[in-house]
Amino acid sequence: MELNEQQRFAIEHENGPLLILAGAGSGKTRVLTERVVHLIRNKHVHPSEILAVTFTNRAAAEMRNRIERTIGLTAREVWINTFHSACLKILRRNAEHTGLSPHFVIFDSSDQLSLIKKILIELNISDRLVTPRGAVEKISRAKDSLTTPDNYPSGDFYQGKMAEVYKRYQEELQKNGAVDFGDLIMLTVMLFRKHPEVLKHYQSKFRYILVDEYQDTNHSQYELIRMLSDKYKNISVVGDPDQSIYAWRGADISNILDFERDFEGANVIKLEQNYRSTKTILAASDAVIANNSERKPKTLWTDNEEGEPINMIEVADEREEARSVVKEIRNLTSSGILHKDIAIFYRTNAQSRVFEDEFRRERIPYVIYGGIRFYDRAEIKNIIAYLRLVINPNENVSLKRIINIPARGIGNTTVKKLEAYSSAAGVTIYEYITTHLQPPDFNSGTRQKLLKFALLVKELTELRDLPPAELVAEAVNKTRYVEDLVAERTEETNERVLNIDELISAVSEAIKAQPEMTLADFLDQVALISDIDSYNEGEDVLPLMTLHLAKGLEFPYIFIVGMEEGVLPHIRALDESAELEEERRLFYVGMTRARKKVHLAHANQRMIRGSFSYNVPSRFMDEIPEKFVLRTQCSVRSTPYALGRKENAERDDFGQGCNCDDFSQVTFEDQEIVNNSSRFALPSSPITDNRSPNTGYRVGQRVRHPTFGEGIIRKTEGKIGQQKLIIQFKTGELKNLSAQYAKLSVY
């Protein structure tokens, strides 16, 4: 496919800052890779002078493979990395300036959680005041903003306790010879600030810097890129403010919105031709995102076909939602569509359960992305912990994980004593066992068990010089972990043993791809794996994933489920305009993953935390012009939330009616449901389903009440000036109000 004019401009841009505003499906990956090729081939830039930064290993691998196919093995000299892996390289090569051991390990989220729990106990801080997961999140966000323990705010009581936890946490990381993900970038920025000669080296090295998904950068990533590009100013960033969906993990949309201000003399090129979606999908998604204010306007267009309307499916509850989606999937697969060409997106992981139940019942092959990853499985994490001890036997977290795996008779009481004694002696647990173990500390039986374990660790460290795959196999043998699993004789035994075999295979494959790789390199690679890196396009299974994980992927047919206020948009976002805009961007990202057709499903009621919630359809659906919509209403019971929907279900501008098999007449007959779910008095006579004239209130209109807040008009009765309204408020409550006295404002 030939490059379009704007793509060519972006690729051939000479020098200076460049912002490439790349709309969804506009070929940004191709532009990035072609720009690298252009710099090497036509501008004679040495590959090692180019730094290309992405957010996922998957994106980095795709870029590397494309460039290698074009210019050959010289592509391997280009620094194509994620932010974290690029910083890891820099820190490894400059460990002496950072106070880190050259063999430092990377703590993943479970390691962080274990360490925080230990610290909370030691500091006698209640996990009700500071939750372990909350503390991990606070520390991560602090590092994203380059806030160290020394300048962490300690204003109120909670912040004061968090400051204590953060300080101790960093001390424990140092003691363990470890860093976490946030450290990788923060410590690199600190390295550059404290050692200008190191910064100068990398500034001179990287003449050209390219950054993908710039809208998702946080402050530390912004500062890193700003410092590195300060010499040559040849910084090219690709991104789309309309796809900024990671504020919850520190992303700052202002980085891309303010690019021209931050990088003086910047050129801006808009990639607006979409190669992915139909005209209908583009027009519908553009109509939605136009409601956001924090954006850089652009107009996406395509030469693709007009396409089918957006199918809005209304159902009674989440089980009916799953059944209706399965029915649509059956229709697609019966016409020859593969399962892997269909995807289901949802706002939260909990929504997948009913779909999994239905898929198992219907024997539809599926896979959950964002569930338990291969490297998060217990048996794999246990072997990884042993391998980390091969690299660094003084790493306490890994040692504690496997000191009694397989069972050695070393219980929690013994481990707690070891922690206390080693901490008092100022040494690691391994050092304490090997050099400080005294008869009064433990009885002779426990001492023998500890010394035997220390001997095993010593034998493992002696395997360091073996080829990585052989080392892993030998380490597994020495630990006798597989024998212990087999002895359990559980239904899971075989699968867990196969998983360990798969780990050995993974090491072998990694070495085949990169012959110079060491065990430490492999462990670094494992630590940097993200959820979406496990996505396998070749397998014919139907993928289910959160909307966040869907970013960067595309499928011919997609279903976005749970399209209700409080679900999408999430309930946390309903009162905050910035968060609401991020939810709208998330929905926009989901819609623009589709090539051929989008299905949106919403339920009138949904089981949440054991009780039913009666839901308003998402405002995002209302933002799609009716001419792009086909409405399907299936098995909708007579709940108060279905009121007024029949009229919409029968009307669409494509000349098609409802195609459901079980259409229910919506009435007020089922008063028990209404009375049990809502606190309002039913009228004594049925309310008509006619719309009011334009000068009055109308069904579907959004209003705000001074006491009850925001709501949607579900029914109207009476003439102008004397209207009675049934309004569904975002709390899920229905109110029967007089328009004359309600003091409503329309928004």
Side-chain angles (χ1 to χ4, degrees):
M1 186 185 301
E2 288 189 11
L3 294 165
N4 65 43
E5 187 177 39
Q6 295 305 106
Q7 288 176 327
R8 189 173 295 107
F9 286 157
I11 290 167
E12 296 176 357
H13 171 78
E14 290 289 336
N15 295 316
L18 173 66
L19 169 59
I20 305 170
L21 282 176
S26 62
K28 71 177 179 65
T29 303
R30 184 184 182 191
V31 168
L32 276 174
T33 55
E34 291 284 352
R35 179 159 172 75
V36 172
V37 171
H38 171 74
L39 290 171
I40 296 170
R41 272 188 175 171
N42 303 326
K43 296 300 175 181
H44 310 294
V45 178
H46 194 277
S48 65
E49 295 179 316
I50 301 172
L51 170 65
V53 187
T54 70
F55 273 85
T56 66
N57 295 308
R58 177 187 176 83
E62 181 182 359
M63 188 185 303
R64 189 180 299 110
N65 291 337
R66 286 191 184 193
I67 296 172
E68 192 170 318
R69 283 197 299 269
T70 305
I71 63 175
L73 295 181
T74 188
R76 296 185 180 182
E77 296 185 60
V78 181
W79 273 48
I80 304 175
N81 301 99
T82 64
F83 275 99
H84 291 102
S85 59
C87 289
L88 177 60
K89 278 187 183 181
I90 293 170
L91 290 175
R92 289 265 187 236
R93 295 176 185 184
N94 297 275
E96 71 276 9
H97 295 305
T98 63
L100 294 170
S101 160
H103 304 298
F104 66 83
V105 296
I106 303 171
F107 274 16
D108 63 16
S109 55
S110 64
D111 297 326
Q112 290 178 275
L113 205 57
S114 298
L115 185 55
I116 289 292
K117 288 177 180 178
K118 168 181 173 290
I119 289 168
L120 291 175
I121 292 171
E122 290 176 351
L123 294 179
N124 196 29
I125 296 175
S126 169
D127 59 9
R128 293 184 179 180
L129 173 64
V130 178
T131 66
R133 291 190 186 279
V136 169
E137 182 69 16
K138 290 284 186 185
I139 291 171
S140 295
R141 296 294 75 79
K143 292 180 179 182
D144 288 344
S145 62
L146 300 177
T147 302
T148 65
D150 292 335
N151 53 24
Y152 189 86
S154 55
D156 57 26
F157 182 74
Y158 172 79
Q159 287 181 317
K161 292 300 180 183
M162 263 308 309
E164 288 182 52
V165 173
Y166 187 10
K167 184 173 186 296
R168 176 67 69 85
Y169 174 77
Q170 288 302 109
E171 291 170 351
E172 289 293 323
L173 286 179
Q174 185 78 17
K175 187 186 298 182
N176 280 279
V179 299
D180 62 20
F181 279 3
D183 282 327
L184 291 175
I185 299 174
M186 184 175 77
L187 292 178
T188 302
V189 173
M190 299 302 179
L191 168 68
F192 289 163
R193 287 178 177 176
K194 293 178 182 177
H195 298 275
E197 74 282 4
V198 178
L199 172 60
K200 187 176 179 180
H201 166 76
Y202 285 102
Q203 285 177 333
S204 298
K205 175 179 175 59
F206 298 128
R207 288 176 56 200
Y208 291 87
I209 298 173
L210 297 85
V211 184
D212 192 13
E213 305 286 8
Y214 190 67
Q215 76 279 349
D216 292 328
T217 53
N218 58 38
H219 178 67
S220 65
Q221 291 160 342
Y222 161 80
E223 186 66 11
L224 176 76
I225 293 302
R226 188 196 63 77
M227 295 173 81
L228 285 172
S229 64
D230 199 42
K231 179 177 181 178
Y232 294 110
K233 314 291 186 185
N234 293 327
I235 171 73
S236 302
V237 304
V238 182
D240 180 5
D242 291 338
Q243 298 185 66
S244 180
I245 59 173
Y246 294 112
W248 53 275
R249 69 179 192 195
D252 186 352
I253 193 173
S254 68
N255 289 347
I256 191 168
L257 294 177
D258 297 338
F259 184 84
E260 295 110 301
R261 187 197 68 188
D262 295 340
F263 296 90
E264 190 176 346
N267 284 339
V268 179
I269 296 174
K270 295 183 180 182
L271 303 183
E272 296 176 301
Q273 183 175 0
N274 177 284
Y275 295 93
R276 177 187 299 154
S277 305
T278 66
K279 288 182 173 68
T280 296
I281 292 171
L282 281 190
S285 55
D286 273 359
V288 172
I289 202 63
N291 289 278
N292 274 8
S293 59
E294 291 289 302
R295 63 190 300 256
K296 286 181 175 288
K298 59 187 180 304
T299 304
L300 295 188
W301 61 277
T302 184
D303 284 333
N304 293 340
E305 63 183 352
E306 198 70 36
E308 297 183 68
I310 308 300
N311 184 22
M312 292 186 180
I313 307 169
E314 179 180 6
V315 296
D317 56 31
E318 70 272 21
R319 293 215 166 270
E320 187 63 39
E321 179 181 51
R323 285 192 289 269
S324 298
V325 168
V326 164
K327 180 182 174 184
E328 294 282 356
I329 290 170
R330 288 293 192 205
N331 290 338
L332 289 170
T333 55
S334 65
S335 66
I337 305 299
L338 298 176
H339 291 104
K340 68 179 182 179
D341 290 333
I342 308 165
I344 296 178
F345 303 153
Y346 35 76
R347 180 63 179 83
T348 62
N349 279 307
Q351 290 170 255
S352 73
R353 184 185 60 81
V354 288
F355 289 95
E356 292 188 71
D357 290 346
E358 194 66 23
F359 283 5
R360 283 193 294 266
R361 188 160 35 247
E362 294 292 322
R363 298 191 176 183
I364 293 176
Y366 73 94
V367 62
I368 300 285
Y369 292 100
I372 298 178
R373 299 178 297 174
F374 177 79
Y375 290 102
D376 284 340
R377 293 168 183 166
E379 61 275 13
I380 300 302
K381 290 186 75 69
N382 290 338
I383 296 299
I384 292 292
Y386 273 113
L387 297 179
R388 281 163 59 160
L389 292 180
V390 172
I391 304 299
N392 179 12
N394 291 311
E395 200 252 286
N396 281 350
V397 171
S398 292
L399 184 142
K400 286 193 297 178
R401 181 180 181 92
I402 50 79
I403 193 170
N404 200 41
I405 296 175
R408 299 184 176 89
I410 302 173
N412 288 335
T413 301
T414 299
V415 173
K416 287 179 180 177
K417 285 184 178 180
L418 281 172
E419 282 191 282
Y421 294 154
S422 61
S423 179
V427 296
T428 65
I429 293 176
Y430 178 70
E431 288 173 327
Y432 185 84
I433 295 173
T434 54
T435 61
H436 289 66
L437 202 60
Q438 300 297 324
D441 297 342
F442 301 98
N443 62 44
S444 59
T446 301
R447 284 200 307 276
Q448 288 304 312
K449 292 170 185 174
L450 292 173
L451 291 171
K452 188 175 179 181
F453 170 72
L455 179 61
L456 170 63
V457 174
K458 181 175 181 294
E459 289 175 354
L460 291 174
T461 62
E462 292 169 352
L463 301 175
R464 284 177 186 164
D465 295 331
L466 290 177
E470 185 180 338
L471 188 160
V472 175
E474 185 61 25
V476 170
N477 289 335
K478 279 188 173 295
T479 63
R480 302 189 66 80
Y481 185 53
V482 170
E483 288 90 330
D484 187 67
L485 287 178
V486 172
E488 290 179 4
R489 298 179 180 275
T490 66
E491 293 181 7
E492 300 172 345
T493 292
N494 189 50
E495 182 180 350
R496 294 172 74 185
V497 172
L498 288 174
N499 286 338
I500 293 173
D501 290 341
E502 184 63 25
L503 175 63
I504 298 171
S505 299
V507 177
S508 298
E509 289 174 11
I511 298 303
K512 187 179 293 185
Q514 299 179 49
E516 72 283 0
M517 179 179 280
T518 65
L519 175 64
D521 294 332
F522 177 78
L523 295 179
D524 286 344
Q525 182 176 296
V526 168
L528 295 173
I529 287 174
S530 64
D531 286 330
I532 203 59
D533 292 325
S534 63
Y535 176 59
N536 177 8
E537 292 180 352
E539 201 174 357
D540 188 28
V541 293
L542 194 149
L544 292 85
M545 65 187 77
T546 64
L547 283 158
H548 283 99
L549 281 180
K551 178 78 179 296
L553 302 178
E554 61 180 69
F555 303 90
Y557 303 89
I558 66 152
F559 292 80
I560 303 179
V561 298
M563 290 296 304
E564 300 127 38
E565 295 285 297
V567 181
L568 181 65
H570 195 279
I571 193 168
R572 291 194 306 263
L574 296 180
D575 293 324
E576 297 290 337
S577 61
E579 291 186 21
L580 184 60
E581 289 207 356
E582 174 131 341
E583 292 290 301
R584 186 177 284 111
R585 291 193 293 268
L586 186 60
F587 175 57
Y588 173 81
V589 165
M591 284 193 71
T592 55
R593 299 310 93 197
R595 295 204 291 266
K596 293 181 179 294
K597 186 164 185 177
V598 173
H599 301 261
L600 306 176
H602 68 99
N604 289 320
Q605 64 179 22
R606 186 175 296 276
M607 180 76 77
I608 298 177
R609 290 182 294 275
S611 60
F612 278 109
S613 169
Y614 295 89
N615 303 318
V616 182
S618 172
R619 70 188 70 192
F620 301 151
M621 293 198 300
D622 290 345
E623 293 169 358
I624 299 174
E626 201 67 34
K627 65 182 179 179
F628 301 125
V629 172
L630 168 67
R631 295 185 184 273
T632 305
Q633 191 177 31
C634 299
S635 302
V636 179
R637 292 193 292 272
S638 50
T639 69
Y641 298 84
L643 301 179
R645 303 303 294 175
K646 180 176 184 291
E647 175 186 4
N648 287 335
E650 293 180 321
R651 187 192 73 253
D652 69 84
D653 293 337
F654 284 87
Q656 301 177 59
C658 176
N659 64 355
C660 58
D661 295 331
D662 184 9
F663 186 86
S664 302
Q665 177 70 36
V666 180
T667 70
F668 275 110
E669 291 174 5
D670 194 352
Q671 294 194 9
E672 183 179 356
I673 293 176
V674 178
N675 285 328
N676 287 340
S677 65
S678 317
R679 296 184 294 280
F680 77 102
L682 282 171
S684 56
S685 60
I687 292 177
T688 63
D689 196 25
N690 297 327
R691 286 181 183 270
S692 303
N694 290 334
T695 52
Y697 291 103
R698 66 183 186 276
V699 172
Q701 197 167 28
R702 293 183 179 275
V703 295
R704 183 179 286 106
H705 187 276
T707 301
F708 306 122
E710 298 173 6
I712 295 178
I713 296 174
R714 288 302 180 203
K715 279 290 181 181
T716 68
E717 180 187 51
K719 61 184 180 180
I720 307 268
Q722 298 179 352
Q723 282 181 294
K724 294 180 181 178
L725 312 173
I726 292 182
I727 304 175
Q728 181 181 18
F729 292 97
K730 70 180 184 182
T731 59
E733 189 175 11
L734 289 177
K735 290 288 183 181
N736 190 0
L737 301 174
S738 167
Q740 186 177 359
Y741 302 109
K743 298 181 180 179
L744 299 174
S745 58
V746 178
Y747 70 102

